Amino acid sequence: MVGGHRCDEAIAGTARRVGALLAKAGATVVCGGLGGAMEAVCAGAKEAGGLTVGILPGEDKRAANPYVDIPLASGLGYTRNTLVVGCADIVIALPGEYGTLSEIAFALNGKKPVIGLGSWNIEGMRQVDTPEEAILLVKKLVRKNKTDR
């Protein structure tokens, strides 16, 4: 999941719900590992018994939010955005700024499905209105990917 390092309560609630639903679906949550939407998605996943991975921009693993199970200190700054989406099978994009936009671009350029949930609306993304719709689409895309192999 990608999204802003700062967010309001509504976006945090959406991110938390996405995290919980991903965990319940058996997915591992991969994100940038810091605050805002990233912390909220990890919190939701942890509350639902899921596994979380945070790919951090700096060199200090202790910078990860408290809900990250596996902190990976990249030391790459914003360049780590390529790793966040590179590790993902499917990207769910919540509202964010240019860092989120770069992650969306990297994912689309890498031919990865991107699901927009109140985020940037860019050609090639699939837009949904709720976390539940996002997870249904994730499940559909995973099934399609398995049959295409």
mmCIF file with all atom_site columns, all heavy atoms in Angstrom, residues 13-27:
data_model
loop_
_atom_site.group_PDB
_atom_site.id
_atom_site.type_symbol
_atom_site.label_atom_id
_atom_site.label_alt_id
_atom_site.label_comp_id
_atom_site.label_asym_id
_atom_site.label_entity_id
_atom_site.label_seq_id
_atom_site.pdbx_PDB_ins_code
_atom_site.Cartn_x
_atom_site.Cartn_y
_atom_site.Cartn_z
_atom_site.occupancy
_atom_site.B_iso_or_equiv
_atom_site.pdbx_formal_charge
_atom_site.auth_seq_id
_atom_site.auth_comp_id
_atom_site.auth_asym_id
_atom_site.auth_atom_id
_atom_site.pdbx_PDB_model_num
ATOM 1  N N   . GLY A 1 13 ? -8.305  6.011   8.900  1.00 0.00 ? 13 GLY A N   1
ATOM 2  C CA  . GLY A 1 13 ? -9.316  4.964   9.086  1.00 0.00 ? 13 GLY A CA  1
ATOM 3  C C   . GLY A 1 13 ? -9.433  4.064   7.872  1.00 0.00 ? 13 GLY A C   1
ATOM 4  O O   . GLY A 1 13 ? -9.557  2.846   7.987  1.00 0.00 ? 13 GLY A O   1
ATOM 5  N N   . THR A 1 14 ? -9.379  4.676   6.690  1.00 0.00 ? 14 THR A N   1
ATOM 6  C CA  . THR A 1 14 ? -9.420  3.889   5.455  1.00 0.00 ? 14 THR A CA  1
ATOM 7  C C   . THR A 1 14 ? -8.200  2.984   5.360  1.00 0.00 ? 14 THR A C   1
ATOM 8  O O   . THR A 1 14 ? -8.313  1.801   5.049  1.00 0.00 ? 14 THR A O   1
ATOM 9  C CB  . THR A 1 14 ? -9.490  4.823   4.226  1.00 0.00 ? 14 THR A CB  1
ATOM 10 O OG1 . THR A 1 14 ? -10.711 5.573   4.296  1.00 0.00 ? 14 THR A OG1 1
ATOM 11 C CG2 . THR A 1 14 ? -9.452  4.045   2.928  1.00 0.00 ? 14 THR A CG2 1
ATOM 12 N N   . ALA A 1 15 ? -7.024  3.544   5.645  1.00 0.00 ? 15 ALA A N   1
ATOM 13 C CA  . ALA A 1 15 ? -5.789  2.753   5.584  1.00 0.00 ? 15 ALA A CA  1
ATOM 14 C C   . ALA A 1 15 ? -5.816  1.607   6.590  1.00 0.00 ? 15 ALA A C   1
ATOM 15 O O   . ALA A 1 15 ? -5.415  0.479   6.278  1.00 0.00 ? 15 ALA A O   1
ATOM 16 C CB  . ALA A 1 15 ? -4.579  3.653   5.833  1.00 0.00 ? 15 ALA A CB  1
ATOM 17 N N   . ARG A 1 16 ? -6.306  1.884   7.772  1.00 0.00 ? 16 ARG A N   1
ATOM 18 C CA  . ARG A 1 16 ? -6.394  0.853   8.818  1.00 0.00 ? 16 ARG A CA  1
ATOM 19 C C   . ARG A 1 16 ? -7.313  -0.279  8.350  1.00 0.00 ? 16 ARG A C   1
ATOM 20 O O   . ARG A 1 16 ? -7.014  -1.459  8.535  1.00 0.00 ? 16 ARG A O   1
ATOM 21 C CB  . ARG A 1 16 ? -6.900  1.491   10.104 1.00 0.00 ? 16 ARG A CB  1
ATOM 22 C CG  . ARG A 1 16 ? -6.746  0.628   11.319 1.00 0.00 ? 16 ARG A CG  1
ATOM 23 C CD  . ARG A 1 16 ? -7.217  1.384   12.580 1.00 0.00 ? 16 ARG A CD  1
ATOM 24 N NE  . ARG A 1 16 ? -6.495  0.873   13.698 1.00 0.00 ? 16 ARG A NE  1
ATOM 25 C CZ  . ARG A 1 16 ? -5.540  1.503   14.347 1.00 0.00 ? 16 ARG A CZ  1
ATOM 26 N NH1 . ARG A 1 16 ? -5.196  2.711   13.997 1.00 0.00 ? 16 ARG A NH1 1
ATOM 27 N NH2 . ARG A 1 16 ? -4.930  0.936   15.360 1.00 0.00 ? 16 ARG A NH2 1
ATOM 28 N N   . ARG A 1 17 ? -8.424  0.076   7.741  1.00 0.00 ? 17 ARG A N   1
ATOM 29 C CA  . ARG A 1 17 ? -9.370  -0.927  7.236  1.00 0.00 ? 17 ARG A CA  1
ATOM 30 C C   . ARG A 1 17 ? -8.736  -1.736  6.101  1.00 0.00 ? 17 ARG A C   1
ATOM 31 O O   . ARG A 1 17 ? -8.895  -2.957  6.043  1.00 0.00 ? 17 ARG A O   1
ATOM 32 C CB  . ARG A 1 17 ? -10.653 -0.239  6.764  1.00 0.00 ? 17 ARG A CB  1
ATOM 33 C CG  . ARG A 1 17 ? -11.715 -1.193  6.261  1.00 0.00 ? 17 ARG A CG  1
ATOM 34 C CD  . ARG A 1 17 ? -12.405 -1.901  7.412  1.00 0.00 ? 17 ARG A CD  1
ATOM 35 N NE  . ARG A 1 17 ? -13.428 -2.784  6.888  1.00 0.00 ? 17 ARG A NE  1
ATOM 36 C CZ  . ARG A 1 17 ? -13.639 -4.015  7.313  1.00 0.00 ? 17 ARG A CZ  1
ATOM 37 N NH1 . ARG A 1 17 ? -12.944 -4.515  8.323  1.00 0.00 ? 17 ARG A NH1 1
ATOM 38 N NH2 . ARG A 1 17 ? -14.570 -4.760  6.779  1.00 0.00 ? 17 ARG A NH2 1
ATOM 39 N N   . VAL A 1 18 ? -8.020  -1.080  5.209  1.00 0.00 ? 18 VAL A N   1
ATOM 40 C CA  . VAL A 1 18 ? -7.324  -1.780  4.133  1.00 0.00 ? 18 VAL A CA  1
ATOM 41 C C   . VAL A 1 18 ? -6.344  -2.788  4.731  1.00 0.00 ? 18 VAL A C   1
ATOM 42 O O   . VAL A 1 18 ? -6.282  -3.941  4.304  1.00 0.00 ? 18 VAL A O   1
ATOM 43 C CB  . VAL A 1 18 ? -6.592  -0.791  3.194  1.00 0.00 ? 18 VAL A CB  1
ATOM 44 C CG1 . VAL A 1 18 ? -5.602  -1.514  2.287  1.00 0.00 ? 18 VAL A CG1 1
ATOM 45 C CG2 . VAL A 1 18 ? -7.593  -0.004  2.359  1.00 0.00 ? 18 VAL A CG2 1
ATOM 46 N N   . GLY A 1 19 ? -5.570  -2.363  5.713  1.00 0.00 ? 19 GLY A N   1
ATOM 47 C CA  . GLY A 1 19 ? -4.608  -3.263  6.355  1.00 0.00 ? 19 GLY A CA  1
ATOM 48 C C   . GLY A 1 19 ? -5.271  -4.480  6.970  1.00 0.00 ? 19 GLY A C   1
ATOM 49 O O   . GLY A 1 19 ? -4.802  -5.612  6.802  1.00 0.00 ? 19 GLY A O   1
ATOM 50 N N   . ALA A 1 20 ? -6.374  -4.260  7.670  1.00 0.00 ? 20 ALA A N   1
ATOM 51 C CA  . ALA A 1 20 ? -7.086  -5.377  8.296  1.00 0.00 ? 20 ALA A CA  1
ATOM 52 C C   . ALA A 1 20 ? -7.620  -6.345  7.243  1.00 0.00 ? 20 ALA A C   1
ATOM 53 O O   . ALA A 1 20 ? -7.493  -7.571  7.396  1.00 0.00 ? 20 ALA A O   1
ATOM 54 C CB  . ALA A 1 20 ? -8.229  -4.847  9.167  1.00 0.00 ? 20 ALA A CB  1
ATOM 55 N N   . LEU A 1 21 ? -8.198  -5.811  6.192  1.00 0.00 ? 21 LEU A N   1
ATOM 56 C CA  . LEU A 1 21 ? -8.754  -6.668  5.141  1.00 0.00 ? 21 LEU A CA  1
ATOM 57 C C   . LEU A 1 21 ? -7.661  -7.421  4.390  1.00 0.00 ? 21 LEU A C   1
ATOM 58 O O   . LEU A 1 21 ? -7.838  -8.595  4.040  1.00 0.00 ? 21 LEU A O   1
ATOM 59 C CB  . LEU A 1 21 ? -9.597  -5.838  4.173  1.00 0.00 ? 21 LEU A CB  1
ATOM 60 C CG  . LEU A 1 21 ? -10.901 -5.276  4.747  1.00 0.00 ? 21 LEU A CG  1
ATOM 61 C CD1 . LEU A 1 21 ? -11.516 -4.257  3.788  1.00 0.00 ? 21 LEU A CD1 1
ATOM 62 C CD2 . LEU A 1 21 ? -11.879 -6.383  5.069  1.00 0.00 ? 21 LEU A CD2 1
ATOM 63 N N   . LEU A 1 22 ? -6.530  -6.775  4.152  1.00 0.00 ? 22 LEU A N   1
ATOM 64 C CA  . LEU A 1 22 ? -5.416  -7.467  3.501  1.00 0.00 ? 22 LEU A CA  1
ATOM 65 C C   . LEU A 1 22 ? -4.919  -8.618  4.367  1.00 0.00 ? 22 LEU A C   1
ATOM 66 O O   . LEU A 1 22 ? -4.669  -9.723  3.878  1.00 0.00 ? 22 LEU A O   1
ATOM 67 C CB  . LEU A 1 22 ? -4.268  -6.495  3.204  1.00 0.00 ? 22 LEU A CB  1
ATOM 68 C CG  . LEU A 1 22 ? -4.479  -5.549  2.036  1.00 0.00 ? 22 LEU A CG  1
ATOM 69 C CD1 . LEU A 1 22 ? -3.391  -4.477  2.013  1.00 0.00 ? 22 LEU A CD1 1
ATOM 70 C CD2 . LEU A 1 22 ? -4.518  -6.304  0.711  1.00 0.00 ? 22 LEU A CD2 1
ATOM 71 N N   . ALA A 1 23 ? -4.777  -8.361  5.659  1.00 0.00 ? 23 ALA A N   1
ATOM 72 C CA  . ALA A 1 23 ? -4.320  -9.406  6.572  1.00 0.00 ? 23 ALA A CA  1
ATOM 73 C C   . ALA A 1 23 ? -5.306  -10.574 6.601  1.00 0.00 ? 23 ALA A C   1
ATOM 74 O O   . ALA A 1 23 ? -4.895  -11.745 6.550  1.00 0.00 ? 23 ALA A O   1
ATOM 75 C CB  . ALA A 1 23 ? -4.132  -8.837  7.979  1.00 0.00 ? 23 ALA A CB  1
ATOM 76 N N   . LYS A 1 24 ? -6.578  -10.264 6.664  1.00 0.00 ? 24 LYS A N   1
ATOM 77 C CA  . LYS A 1 24 ? -7.597  -11.323 6.686  1.00 0.00 ? 24 LYS A CA  1
ATOM 78 C C   . LYS A 1 24 ? -7.601  -12.126 5.394  1.00 0.00 ? 24 LYS A C   1
ATOM 79 O O   . LYS A 1 24 ? -7.964  -13.298 5.385  1.00 0.00 ? 24 LYS A O   1
ATOM 80 C CB  . LYS A 1 24 ? -8.976  -10.728 6.952  1.00 0.00 ? 24 LYS A CB  1
ATOM 81 C CG  . LYS A 1 24 ? -9.133  -10.242 8.379  1.00 0.00 ? 24 LYS A CG  1
ATOM 82 C CD  . LYS A 1 24 ? -10.474 -9.568  8.604  1.00 0.00 ? 24 LYS A CD  1
ATOM 83 C CE  . LYS A 1 24 ? -10.542 -9.015  10.013 1.00 0.00 ? 24 LYS A CE  1
ATOM 84 N NZ  . LYS A 1 24 ? -11.746 -8.231  10.256 1.00 0.00 ? 24 LYS A NZ  1
ATOM 85 N N   . ALA A 1 25 ? -7.165  -11.501 4.297  1.00 0.00 ? 25 ALA A N   1
ATOM 86 C CA  . ALA A 1 25 ? -7.087  -12.191 3.009  1.00 0.00 ? 25 ALA A CA  1
ATOM 87 C C   . ALA A 1 25 ? -5.782  -12.988 2.868  1.00 0.00 ? 25 ALA A C   1
ATOM 88 O O   . ALA A 1 25 ? -5.563  -13.646 1.862  1.00 0.00 ? 25 ALA A O   1
ATOM 89 C CB  . ALA A 1 25 ? -7.210  -11.180 1.869  1.00 0.00 ? 25 ALA A CB  1
ATOM 90 N N   . GLY A 1 26 ? -4.911  -12.874 3.874  1.00 0.00 ? 26 GLY A N   1
ATOM 91 C CA  . GLY A 1 26 ? -3.661  -13.623 3.849  1.00 0.00 ? 26 GLY A CA  1
ATOM 92 C C   . GLY A 1 26 ? -2.510  -12.909 3.168  1.00 0.00 ? 26 GLY A C   1
ATOM 93 O O   . GLY A 1 26 ? -1.464  -13.502 2.913  1.00 0.00 ? 26 GLY A O   1
ATOM 94 N N   . ALA A 1 27 ? -2.673  -11.634 2.872  1.00 0.00 ? 27 ALA A N   1
ATOM 95 C CA  . ALA A 1 27 ? -1.622  -10.864 2.203  1.00 0.00 ? 27 ALA A CA  1
ATOM 96 C C   . ALA A 1 27 ? -0.642  -10.283 3.213  1.00 0.00 ? 27 ALA A C   1
ATOM 97 O O   . ALA A 1 27 ? -1.002  -10.008 4.358  1.00 0.00 ? 27 ALA A O   1
ATOM 98 C CB  . ALA A 1 27 ? -2.246  -9.731  1.389  1.00 0.00 ? 27 ALA A CB  1
#
